[in-house]
Structures are given as C-alpha cells and as structure tokens.
Amino acid sequence: MPVEFAQFLTALFRRFNPGFIYLPPRMHLRRINLLYLIVVLALLSSCTGFEKIRKSSDVNYKLTKANEYFEQKDYSHANELYKELMPIMKSTRNYEALFYKYAYTFYYLKDYLDGSYYFKNFTEYFPASKDAEECEFMSAVCLFKYAPKYSLDQTNSVKALEAMQSYVNKYPNSKRINEANDYVNKSRKKLEMKQADAALLYYNIYQYRAATVAYKSVIRNYPESPDEDLYQFMIMKSFFKFAKQSVPDKQEERYANAIAAYRELKESFASSKYIPEADKLFAVANENIKKLRDEQHK
C-alpha cells in the first residue's frame, strides 16, 4: 500500500474516530490495511454497480437509473447512459424527456459546443414541445459560453449574437427576454472591444490614418456605446498625430481634420473627461496651422 495513501487513511481514521488511541505498530498497520480494503471495496462496488447498469438489457431500468443520476447531479454517468439510450428510445414516449435531459448534461458538464448542438436539435425534433423555447434559448446560451474572451477570434461570439438575437425576435414576450437581451448586449460588447482593440493597435504602431478609419468604423457599428466619446477623441488624436508626421504640404489639411474631429467631440460630448486633453491638442493644431500659413506668405 502506498505510504501517502496510508497516511491519508490514518488521518481519515483519526478524523472520524475521536476515540482513536495509540496502538502498537503491528496492530495499527492491520487497522490501516483493513480501512484500505474497505475503501477499495467501496470504490469497486461503485464502479461495478454502474457497469452493471450499463450492461443491463432492461431499457426501462437503465432509463430510471440515468434519471436518478441526473437528479443526483451526477451528470457524467447520466450522460453516458442517456447516450446509449438515445438510439434505442427514439420514437418512444420517453424520447422527448430523455433528449431534453441529455442536452442539459452537456451544459452542466460545461461541454457547451455539444450542448448547443443538442439543444438546437431538440427544437427541430420537437418544435411543438413546451420546452422548445427554453431549448432554443439554451442553445444560444451555450454558444455564448463557448465563445472565447474578446481578444481572441470572435467567430463564435458572432454566432452566439445571431442565435440570441434570433431568439429575441422570435419570442419578444418570453419570460427570458431580459436575460436574452443581456446576452445580446454582452456579445455586442465583446465584438465592440475586439474592434476597438484593432483600432488601438493601429494607433500604437503609428498607423494613424488607419486608426482614424478603424475608430470611425467602431462608432458606426456601435453608435450607442458608452465609450463613443473615447473613440471620437481617438479619431481627433490620430488625425493630430497623422498631421504631425506628414510632410509640410499635407500638414495644414490634416491638422484641419483634427480640428473638425475636436469640434464634433465638443458638440456631442461636452462633459467628456477627454475634453481637457483635446483642448490642448486643439490649441497646438491651431498654432501649427498659423505657423504653416505664415511660412507660406514669407
């Protein structure tokens, strides 16, 4: 018997036997070995019990045990039994309930890709079911949970958004509508953050012209974003930097673009926290335009 396991059993024995007293090493070892045997037999009994269920030819018995596992939140064992029962019980009166629980086992096991697949399939197999709406919602939820963080590829976030928006359009009076709209907003926010990050990357690598285009795209795609003032400020800042690194012949026009972006920021977001810094850039842009014009008249 491994030493570590023996130590574990000793601690376990002490924990559940407050009256534990010192015994001579040989008797102590016998007691530990006995406890070890009991634990192993219990584990073997548990495994043997499940294998016995799996090998049973009694379909109703297997379904009953699968449902018991499900109710006990042992979703792994429930999933295995449901998987075996799915092709057998197709077209029976128990198939709908089995399919429903089978889909949920994937969700609870955090296998969201398969969960989405089976929830969606449920709605196609049982479109008139009282659970069809719920399963369509859960299919979209699984896609949302499967989608990665915003900094990674957002293909699955797009799919999640489309699925949840489809649900919202189809069931506008659903009791789940508020939760569904929240998922829609969260999905849109992830996509917005991904696009905003791309714009910031252009800015950080000194591609200021591309940054202005990218930030304008973010505003166009997410017009109600709480960060719209930041994006507008970054447009102005990018135009300013673009003008600064340009050849003299192009600078006046590009500083003028920065000033136009500044005015739009002031008009739309007069109380923005970015106004003080924008004011400084505006003053420098104006001053530089004056200098450029003075140079031209010399």
Side-chain angles (χ1 to χ4, degrees):
M1 178 175 57
V3 174
E4 294 82 358
F5 194 68
Q7 293 173 341
F8 165 73
L9 290 177
T10 301
L12 189 67
F13 192 79
R14 288 179 181 275
R15 172 67 179 82
F16 291 101
N17 291 272
F20 179 80
I21 57 174
Y22 173 79
L23 292 172
R26 184 171 297 178
M27 293 180 66
H28 183 61
L29 182 59
R30 287 178 183 172
R31 180 166 291 187
I32 292 297
N33 283 334
L34 178 61
L35 185 56
Y36 175 75
L37 180 61
I38 291 171
V39 171
V40 170
L41 287 174
L43 292 172
L44 287 174
S45 174
S46 174
C47 293
T48 303
F50 179 69
E51 287 304 313
K52 184 179 178 181
I53 297 168
R54 285 191 64 186
K55 292 177 181 178
S56 174
S57 59
D58 187 337
V59 175
N60 290 326
Y61 171 69
K62 288 180 77 170
L63 179 60
T64 298
K65 299 306 290 185
N67 288 337
E68 286 179 6
Y69 281 126
F70 187 89
E71 294 302 320
Q72 293 164 6
K73 300 184 179 180
D74 185 349
Y75 301 115
S76 181
H77 281 136
N79 179 277
E80 288 186 54
L81 292 178
Y82 286 142
K83 181 180 180 179
E84 294 181 4
L85 290 166
M86 284 284 284
I88 300 171
M89 303 202 70
K90 196 171 183 179
S91 301
T92 68
R93 62 186 178 85
N94 292 317
Y95 188 56
E96 181 180 333
L98 186 158
F99 204 132
Y100 175 84
K101 289 180 179 178
Y102 185 48
Y104 262 107
T105 60
F106 288 107
Y107 176 77
Y108 291 128
L109 290 169
K110 298 185 179 181
D111 183 350
Y112 298 122
L113 189 59
D114 280 340
S116 177
Y117 173 81
Y118 282 102
F119 278 124
K120 185 63 177 175
N121 275 5
F122 181 93
T123 65
E124 294 172 356
Y125 273 103
F126 310 103
S129 170
K130 63 179 179 59
D131 298 314
E133 178 197 324
E134 176 188 346
C135 286
E136 186 164 345
F137 173 73
M138 289 304 300
S139 178
V141 170
C142 285
L143 286 175
F144 176 86
K145 290 182 177 291
Y146 181 69
K149 60 183 181 180
Y150 78 92
S151 59
L152 301 176
D153 180 76
Q154 290 302 298
T155 300
N156 287 305
S157 290
V158 172
K159 291 179 180 178
L161 176 59
E162 290 173 349
M164 196 60 76
Q165 190 63 62
S166 174
Y167 174 84
V168 168
N169 295 340
K170 191 173 180 180
Y171 302 102
N173 299 316
S174 169
K175 65 181 181 180
R176 302 177 182 86
I177 197 66
N178 290 336
E179 191 177 357
N181 281 326
D182 186 52
Y183 278 119
V184 167
N185 292 335
K186 286 178 179 177
S187 295
R188 285 180 61 81
K189 188 61 181 178
K190 284 177 71 175
L191 297 175
E192 176 190 335
M193 291 169 70
K194 178 70 173 179
Q195 194 172 346
D197 261 17
L200 181 60
L201 177 61
Y202 283 126
Y203 180 86
N204 287 338
I205 61 174
Y206 315 113
Q207 297 296 313
Y208 299 120
R209 187 172 188 177
T212 63
V213 174
Y215 276 116
K216 285 180 179 180
S217 180
V218 178
I219 291 176
R220 183 169 60 253
N221 292 333
Y222 306 97
E224 296 180 2
S225 170
D227 293 317
E228 189 178 354
D229 61 333
L230 167 61
Y231 305 146
Q232 184 59 40
F233 170 65
M234 289 303 297
I235 291 171
M236 183 224 175
K237 197 172 181 181
S238 297
F239 270 131
F240 180 88
K241 296 274 190 178
F242 185 43
K244 193 173 181 181
Q245 71 175 15
S246 298
V247 295
D249 289 348
K250 298 287 185 179
Q251 284 185 334
E252 182 175 345
E253 175 190 347
R254 290 169 183 174
Y255 277 125
N257 287 336
I259 290 172
Y262 165 80
R263 286 173 177 157
E264 190 169 345
L265 175 66
K266 288 277 284 188
E267 289 173 7
S268 301
F269 309 100
S271 59
S272 171
K273 65 181 180 181
Y274 303 106
I275 293 296
E277 187 176 351
D279 286 340
K280 293 176 183 178
L281 295 177
F282 169 72
V284 173
N286 258 335
E287 183 63 28
N288 287 345
I289 288 175
K290 289 178 182 178
K291 288 179 180 178
L292 288 167
R293 287 175 178 173
D294 288 345
E295 289 291 327
Q296 290 172 0
H297 288 92
K298 283 184 179 179

